[in-house]
Amino acid sequence: MPRTAAPPLMSPVPRAADSDRRRTNASVILRSVLEHGPVARSTISRLTGLSPASVTDYCTRFTRLGLLREAEPPRQSKGVGRPHVPLDLDNSRFVVGGVHVAVPYTTVALLDLRGRVVAERQLKHDSTTDPSLVLARAADGIAALLDRAPDCRPLGVGFSAGGWVDRDSGTVVEHPLLGWREVPVREVIGARTGLPVHVDGHARALVNAERLFGRARGSRSVLHLFVGNVVDAAFATNDEVHHGPRSQAGAIAHLPVPGGTEPCDCGRVGCLQAELSERTLCRRAREAGVIEGTNPMHVVTAAAGSDAAAVRLLVERAGAVGRAARLLLDVLNPETVVVTEVGIVHREDCLRALREGVGADRATSVIPTSFPDSVLAMAGGSVALDVLYRDPLAASPEAI
């Protein structure tokens, strides 16, 4: 059954320039509370450059909507005047759903307004990745999580996946490893949940998560490199993620790797995804007698147990990821590079190999994901949270 939704995050009606200005002002104010809260209104005014009256007006609206609350006031000092009452995000009312579809399983989750995972579950694909079945299970999984959190009101659902994902149409255009083509994700999950659904590729979603909640917050330009079964990238400058026509930006799977030997489905040898994917890592680990299955975490576990072959495979892969990142650094020159890769997330020797591959002159700009324990849940949920923080008043159109 469709879930009763909070009013949609985005208004479908085009608005004039003053509405754009109001949306921008609302966004910078809510972002200021996210970054600095609990924070006084006078501090918000100083941080944003908006007038105290304007800040008070927006904060009153946010409080009425349930996005902000007054924090515990400071103790009365001996000075003259009323003490400032700080504001903070109200995490008691709203959540967003997050759906991330990977090759072996789907992750469903609920996240609060600070991007913290409230609940999470993995749904294995079993014998099929038929999109209608996978998306139906994902929608039902979100509904089940919401049923166990009756005091939380959903603002919407964010969906992410690898491959070619078109944000504007809400469609997975192509995901070869899943066998998906032109899958209308927004339509399917929206119809089953009754909630607004926002869709994007997982590398772009994680760039937004990093700039909102992670260590890349405040960076003027960020490159994110995602190395899983799918290998792709995303680039953001001045708080805007580059999508390109029909959201095709970031497709790096077929970049050639010098000296690469792995055959690719495209018919060539040495493509980036074929060389670095988790499928390749696990196949090489099986050939070396390290593991028997297809779970890359088993390679990490073996390495933690001092299996020399497992350590070698992970460190070599991290170095290759670093060399790939160096190519992208040369082209894009970002201030910060964030890498999501299983060995780099869990092992210092892999992080060192990554930075050595990048080169000493840029090594300090390269960091692992800020969300090592919840990266896939964050990839889904941050799609919806990005919409909220870009246009917070649209969470309740009547408040505009």
Side-chain angles (χ1 to χ4, degrees):
M1 294 293 292
R3 176 86 177 196
T4 302
L9 289 175
M10 298 183 70
S11 169
V13 181
R15 291 178 282 183
D18 350 340
S19 294
D20 292 337
R21 177 177 51 80
R22 288 197 299 270
R23 181 168 56 245
T24 300
N25 291 347
S27 176
V28 297
I29 289 171
L30 195 62
R31 287 276 299 273
S32 294
V33 180
L34 169 67
E35 294 176 22
H36 302 283
V39 60
R41 293 170 179 82
S42 57
T43 304
I44 297 172
S45 179
R46 176 174 54 80
L47 290 168
T48 63
L50 297 172
S51 71
S54 182
V55 168
T56 297
D57 178 55
Y58 281 105
C59 289
T60 299
R61 297 186 193 191
F62 290 148
T63 302
R64 188 168 63 242
L65 292 175
L67 299 176
L68 295 184
R69 62 175 177 81
E70 290 191 343
E72 192 68 29
R75 292 181 180 179
Q76 180 69 50
S77 69
K78 294 180 180 178
V80 178
R82 182 175 180 269
H84 293 291
V85 178
L87 293 172
D88 205 354
L89 293 175
D90 187 344
N91 290 313
S92 66
R93 305 189 190 192
F94 295 121
V95 293
V96 299
V99 175
H100 177 273
V101 177
V103 174
Y105 57 83
T106 296
T107 300
V108 294
L110 302 180
L111 284 73
D112 69 14
L113 299 187
R114 286 196 174 276
R116 295 175 299 206
V117 176
V118 176
E120 180 178 359
R121 186 181 173 195
Q122 288 184 352
L123 308 171
K124 290 186 178 179
H125 293 158
D126 298 326
S127 59
T128 179
T129 57
D130 178 270
S132 60
L133 296 177
V134 170
L135 295 179
R137 289 189 69 204
D140 292 347
I142 290 291
L145 293 180
L146 288 168
D147 286 342
R148 290 196 284 272
D151 295 333
C152 293
R153 191 177 181 194
L155 287 171
V157 177
F159 171 95
S160 70
W164 178 4
V165 182
D166 181 17
R167 175 187 61 173
D168 293 335
S169 67
T171 301
V172 173
V173 181
E174 185 176 26
H175 194 310
L177 295 181
L178 291 174
W180 289 16
R181 288 188 63 86
E182 299 292 348
V183 177
V185 172
R186 177 186 297 153
E187 177 184 328
V188 173
I189 295 181
R192 198 165 181 100
T193 62
L195 296 170
V197 178
H198 310 283
V199 176
D200 210 343
H202 61 197
R204 291 189 293 266
L206 287 168
V207 165
N208 285 326
E210 291 287 347
R211 68 177 184 79
L212 284 171
F213 313 110
R215 290 195 295 272
R217 179 188 284 170
S219 293
R220 289 166 294 180
S221 55
V222 183
L223 168 68
H224 183 269
L225 181 58
F226 187 99
V227 184
N229 282 306
V230 173
V231 179
D232 52 12
F235 183 59
T237 56
N238 298 322
D239 221 25
E240 290 291 337
V241 178
H242 180 59
H243 281 75
R246 212 183 175 197
S247 299
Q248 292 187 74
I252 60 171
H254 298 289
L255 288 180
V257 176
T261 59
E262 290 290 333
C264 181
D265 291 341
C266 73
R268 293 181 293 180
V269 172
C271 291
L272 187 63
Q273 182 167 291
E275 291 292 329
L276 297 182
S277 76
E278 288 177 350
R279 286 184 166 188
T280 300
L281 170 67
C282 290
R283 195 206 74 234
R284 290 172 175 172
R286 290 194 301 272
E287 291 172 352
V290 174
I291 64 171
E292 295 182 354
T294 58
N295 187 337
M297 279 304 301
H298 292 171
V299 185
V300 175
T301 301
S306 301
D307 185 307
V311 172
R312 176 182 56 79
L313 287 169
L314 290 172
V315 171
E316 287 179 354
R317 184 179 190 233
V321 172
R323 293 189 291 276
R326 184 172 61 196
L327 295 175
L328 297 174
L329 272 161
D330 289 342
V331 174
L332 299 171
N333 193 30
E335 183 176 328
T336 304
V337 180
V338 183
V339 178
T340 299
E341 189 272 341
V342 65
I344 292 160
V345 166
H346 291 95
R347 295 184 61 87
E348 284 296 323
D349 53 359
C350 289
L351 181 57
R352 286 195 299 272
L354 168 73
R355 288 174 169 162
E356 288 169 6
V358 167
D361 56 330
R362 298 298 301 272
T364 57
S365 68
V366 181
I367 58 176
T369 176
S370 301
F371 318 105
D373 300 319
S374 58
V375 66
L376 300 185
M378 182 63 74
S382 63
V383 179
L385 288 169
D386 175 61
V387 173
L388 170 66
Y389 281 100
R390 288 188 184 279
D391 195 3
L393 286 177
S396 182
E398 70 272 14
I400 297 176

